[in-house]
Amino acid sequence: MVDSRFISFKRNYFKHLSAIKQERVISYLKLIEIYYKKPEIATTIEFYNRVEKSFNWINRNNEDIFLMSFYAWLKAKMTKQNIYFVTLNLINN
């Protein structure tokens, strides 16, 4: 079911997201797909480096809180921490 949803979403929205310059969304979805298919990879250094390279942050006062929350979810999975505390840490730093 999840694979089907990913395929459908890519087919229907990736061209549009590319056209409106939403590379961060595309990058995030690709990372989520990798995590879904191989959850054990989330704790590897390679995956961590890939995630860190995928997001270019602007200052925290102007950054989208939803984007920060999505990233915090992924980072919480990678570091095996509570998503709430990871989100707060991102907001405060």
Side-chain angles (χ1 to χ4, degrees):
M1 179 90 146
V2 174
D3 283 331
S4 174
R5 289 292 196 181
F6 268 118
I7 291 168
S8 176
F9 187 86
K10 284 180 187 179
R11 185 177 49 243
N12 293 323
Y13 297 105
F14 267 44
K15 286 182 186 177
H16 175 69
L17 289 169
S18 293
I20 61 172
K21 308 279 190 236
Q22 291 295 320
E23 283 81 22
R24 293 197 301 184
V25 175
I26 293 169
S27 178
Y28 179 77
L29 290 172
K30 287 180 181 178
L31 291 169
I32 295 302
E33 186 175 23
I34 291 168
Y35 172 73
Y36 166 71
K37 289 181 178 180
K38 294 183 181 177
E40 67 278 358
I41 200 170
T43 56
T44 64
I45 296 296
E46 295 83 19
F47 188 72
Y48 180 82
N49 291 335
R50 184 171 180 175
V51 170
E52 290 298 318
K53 290 179 189 175
S54 296
F55 294 93
N56 296 322
W57 299 103
I58 55 180
N59 69 31
R60 68 182 175 145
N61 294 330
N62 294 332
E63 190 60 76
D64 181 13
I65 186 69
F66 293 110
L67 178 67
M68 292 174 83
S69 297
F70 290 134
Y71 173 75
W73 177 84
L74 186 56
K75 190 166 185 173
K77 294 294 183 186
M78 294 179 342
T79 59
K80 296 182 180 179
Q81 294 178 325
N82 183 293
I83 186 172
Y84 177 76
F85 295 116
V86 173
T87 305
L88 285 180
N89 190 30
L90 282 175
I91 292 169
N92 292 324
N93 293 331

